């Protein structure tokens, strides 16, 4: 399931991110890559423990926590601290799958990466190339969103970032462990959640059908979740 989360950040928040990142250090992006992906990866990142990354990460986690589309689609259990990268002209990230298990920085806490997220921080008019291309069962999907918009996609998928031919593409990226490991189950729950919302609007919160469907939704989460 590929989910677009429009306007996760306001234009003011995007501007704040860019202003902070302007003054940040950038290092080779291979620092968070696995063996295979390190060979394919040519970009720059803000160091994981940089104060700038921590401050902006907190702001983004706050926006995620109150975003209904994100919560419904991802059913998050643990969200990895957001990281920041940039691709300047000539940079790219070849085909790879993200590491399955990661350590939360500075801890022994391991978590499974079920979902990958990219939050775009550059206006698409300001660069050429740089599409995030995700291979799924419907074929390849090229994603290039407005600044402040985010895409969620299964961390199980092969993906790449096309070379930048003009300008520079800045973004925030992170992984999360979901309460529901399986992408197909998450997609079913997200669809059911949306339909329940429509049924509540068309009928009433207390309508017998709404109560029954809401019960089925929660009981499916009870059946499938790991918390
Ligand atoms: Ni990746």
């Amino acid at each position: 399931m590929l989910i677009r989360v429009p306007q996760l950040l306001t234009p003011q928040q995007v501007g704040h991110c860019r202003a902070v990142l302007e003054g940040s250090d950038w290092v080779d992006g291979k620092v968070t890559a696995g063996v295979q992906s390190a060979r394919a990866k040519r970009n720059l990142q803000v160091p994981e423990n940089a104060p700038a990354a921590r401050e902006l990460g907190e702001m983004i986690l706050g926006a995620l926590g109150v975003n209904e589309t994100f919560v419904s689609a991802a059913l998050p259990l643990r969200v990895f601290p957001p990281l920041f990268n940039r691709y300047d002209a000539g940079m790219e990230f070849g085909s790879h799958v993200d590491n399955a298990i990661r350590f939360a920085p500075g801890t022994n806490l391991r978590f499974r990466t079920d979902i990958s997220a990219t939050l775009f921080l550059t206006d698409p008019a300001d660069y050429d190339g740089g599409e995030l291309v995700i291979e799924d069962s419907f074929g390849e999907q090229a994603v290039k969103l407005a600044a402040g918009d985010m895409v969620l996609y299964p961390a199980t998928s092969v993906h790449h970032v096309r070379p930048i031919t003009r300008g520079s593409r800045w973004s925030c990226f992170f992984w999360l462990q979901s309460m529901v490991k399986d992408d197909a189950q998450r997609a079913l729950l997200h669809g059911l959640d949306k339909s329940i919302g429509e049924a509540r609007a068309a009928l009433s919160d207390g309508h017998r059908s709404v109560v029954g469907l809401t019960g089925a939704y929660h009981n499916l989460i009870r059946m499938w979740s790991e918390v």
Side-chain angles (χ1 to χ4, degrees), residues 18 24 109 111 147 172 186:
R18 293 191 58 94
S24 176
L109 181 66
F111 71 99
C172 166
R186 284 196 307 273

Side-chain angles (χ1 to χ4, degrees), residues 9-226:
L9 298 186
T10 64
Q12 291 74 23
Q13 288 173 313
V14 171
H16 177 64
C17 287
R18 293 191 58 94
V20 171
L21 294 173
E22 291 273 3
S24 176
D25 291 335
W26 295 88
V27 298
D28 191 316
K30 295 188 196 321
V31 288
T32 54
V35 175
Q36 186 273 330
S37 55
R39 292 201 192 96
K41 190 172 186 183
R42 280 185 288 282
N43 69 359
L44 299 171
Q45 279 178 209
V46 174
E48 285 178 273
N49 54 3
R54 296 283 66 80
E55 183 217 319
L56 297 180
E58 289 300 319
M59 183 183 80
I60 289 163
L61 291 175
L64 291 171
V66 296
N67 187 285
E68 290 182 7
T69 302
F70 169 74
V71 173
S72 172
L75 296 168
L77 177 63
R78 297 193 186 103
V79 182
F80 195 86
L83 299 168
F84 298 86
N85 64 13
R86 65 186 276 182
Y87 293 81
D88 295 340
M91 294 182 178
E92 65 179 312
F93 197 163
S95 289
H96 66 282
V97 171
D98 295 342
N99 285 358
I101 304 292
R102 304 198 81 93
F103 285 94
T107 74
N108 288 324
L109 181 66
R110 279 176 295 189
F111 71 99
R112 190 185 60 231
T113 55
D114 295 322
I115 296 175
S116 300
T118 296
L119 166 61
F120 290 77
L121 296 174
T122 305
D123 186 327
D126 291 343
Y127 64 100
D128 291 328
E131 295 87 355
L132 170 63
V133 181
I134 299 157
E135 295 177 22
D136 75 6
S137 49
F138 299 104
E140 286 195 346
Q141 304 205 47
V143 182
K144 186 174 188 173
L145 301 179
D149 290 7
M150 179 174 72
V151 63
L152 302 173
Y153 57 101
T156 49
S157 57
V158 175
H159 55 278
H160 65 274
V161 176
R162 285 183 184 148
I164 300 284
T165 55
R166 177 185 65 89
S168 180
R169 169 204 195 263
W170 295 17
S171 48
C172 166
F173 67 103
F174 58 90
W175 302 273
L176 66 91
Q177 181 169 342
S178 175
M179 291 186 284
V180 175
K181 176 167 74 172
D182 185 76
D183 182 61
Q185 291 175 339
R186 284 196 307 273
L188 189 155
L189 288 165
H190 184 46
L192 180 56
D193 188 36
K194 284 193 291 189
S195 294
I196 291 170
E198 289 161 9
R200 287 171 64 189
L203 302 169
S204 69
D205 278 357
H207 193 282
R208 187 174 170 77
S209 301
V210 172
V211 174
L213 287 168
T214 304
Y217 173 80
H218 284 285
N219 287 333
L220 285 170
I221 290 188
R222 208 168 261 120
M223 190 182 294
W224 291 338
S225 63
E226 309 159 356

